[in-house]
């Protein structure tokens, strides 16, 4: 397991998967091993195997993070109903976690028969996230996440102000630029979304996570984004 962790953080994901796979075969009841295996699969874009490994970790040790992980795999597979089900389980365990409610809103947004209740989830995410920002106004990641939720609710001014502040606070944070891309994509600002994706990828955001992300669907086929994805693939 320790070797797998070393390989994972060294970016040698295929080798990490082999090491984690061996570890879980030797210790099949080790939930951490399955969690780590799922994470490695996820980062190479193998969302089905990631979900399988993470589901096994849930069987062994249910947790908010495990349910969120499986939900994320389903989300990237386009299985939004299934993703919502996992996020609902996470919300049961952690009802005061704003990111859980935000993820639930995302899943509902793209689920045909639940899109009307996405607003409720986003509203709850905003309430909880804004409380964190009141405590720490310099929390760039929370500000970035909130900007997405504002955008999905059509709150343009709040969305643009929130993401601008996040970018000012942490201009070299790839996740801030990812949040910026989703925010601007949701607002229909394709140019700003593409520029944000370019920055996120340059700072290390995994290119494999761009195209299957429903929040980035409006720019995923843009020739500039495709060129960046292709370039990242060629370097692997």
């Amino acid at each position: 397991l320790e070797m797998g962790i070393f390989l994972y953080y060294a970016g040698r994901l295929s080798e990490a998967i082999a090491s984690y796979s061996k570890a879980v075969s030797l210790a099949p009841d080790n939930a951490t091993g399955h969690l780590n295996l799922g994470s490695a699969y996820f980062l190479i874009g193998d969302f089905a195997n990631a979900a399988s490994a993470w589901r096994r970790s849930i069987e062994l040790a249910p947790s908010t993070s495990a349910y969120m992980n499986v939900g994320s795999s389903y989300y990237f597979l386009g299985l939004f109903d299934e993703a919502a089900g996992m996020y609902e389980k996470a919300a049961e365990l952690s009802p005061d976690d704003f990111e859980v409610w935000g993820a639930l809103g995302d899943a509902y947004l793209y689920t045909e028969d639940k899109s009307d209740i996405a607003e409720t989830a986003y509203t709850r995410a905003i309430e909880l996230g804004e409380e964190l920002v009141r405590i720490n106004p310099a929390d760039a990641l929370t500000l970035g996440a909130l900007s997405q939720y504002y955008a999905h609710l059509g709150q343009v001014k709040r969305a643009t102000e929130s993401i601008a502040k996040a970018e000012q606070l942490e201009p070299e944070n790839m996740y801030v630029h990812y949040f910026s891309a989703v925010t601007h994509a949701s607002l229909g600002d394709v140019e700003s979304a593409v520029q944000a994706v370019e920055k996120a990828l340059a700072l290390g955001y995994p290119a494999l996570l761009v195209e299957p992300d429903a929040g980035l669907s409006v720019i995923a086929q843009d020739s500039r984004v495709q060129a960046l994805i292709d370039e990242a693939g060629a370097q692997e």
Side-chain angles (χ1 to χ4, degrees), residues 20-236:
Y20 287 144
S21 295
K22 184 175 181 180
V24 299
S25 69
L26 294 172
D29 294 334
N30 185 328
T32 300
H34 293 283
L35 275 171
N36 292 348
L37 178 59
S39 297
Y41 274 128
F42 189 85
L43 287 183
I44 66 167
D46 188 344
F47 306 121
N49 274 322
S52 178
W54 282 332
R55 282 198 305 269
R56 178 59 181 149
S57 75
I58 287 175
E59 293 172 3
L60 295 167
S63 67
T64 300
S65 61
Y67 280 118
M68 287 288 284
N69 287 340
V70 178
S72 295
S73 289
Y74 287 149
Y75 179 84
F76 279 95
L77 287 167
L79 302 173
F80 303 117
D81 271 317
E82 290 84 349
M86 290 294 106
Y87 294 144
E88 286 166 356
K89 292 287 188 182
E92 290 175 8
L93 292 177
S94 299
D96 295 326
D97 187 323
F98 88 101
E99 291 179 297
V100 170
W101 287 100
L104 188 54
D106 291 341
Y108 286 156
L109 183 65
Y110 299 108
T111 301
E112 185 175 349
D113 62 341
K114 295 180 179 178
S115 59
D116 59 328
I117 57 174
E119 181 177 350
T120 301
Y122 285 135
T123 299
R124 182 58 177 153
I126 288 169
E127 291 172 352
L128 294 167
E130 287 180 343
E131 181 59 31
L132 294 177
V133 172
R134 277 191 286 272
I135 295 169
N136 178 15
D139 185 346
L141 289 177
T142 298
L143 285 164
L146 282 169
S147 70
Q148 303 173 100
Y149 312 149
Y150 295 140
H152 291 319
L153 294 182
Q155 299 176 14
V156 179
K157 186 173 185 292
R158 297 176 80 186
T160 54
E161 289 179 348
S162 184
I163 197 58
K165 185 174 182 180
E167 290 173 328
Q168 182 180 29
L169 287 166
E170 294 195 24
E172 300 301 310
N173 190 310
M174 64 181 174
Y175 295 110
V176 166
H177 291 294
Y178 164 74
F179 292 143
S180 178
V182 175
T183 297
H184 290 298
S186 181
L187 295 175
D189 185 348
V190 171
E191 288 303 310
S192 294
V194 169
Q195 290 173 19
V197 163
E198 290 174 340
K199 291 176 183 176
L201 293 176
L203 290 167
Y205 189 79
L208 284 167
L209 300 184
V210 174
E211 199 163 10
D213 190 333
L216 298 174
S217 60
V218 299
I219 63 166
Q221 300 307 313
D222 185 283
S223 59
R224 292 164 294 179
V225 175
Q226 282 295 311
L228 290 169
I229 294 172
D230 292 342
E231 181 183 348
Q235 293 175 355
E236 292 178 353

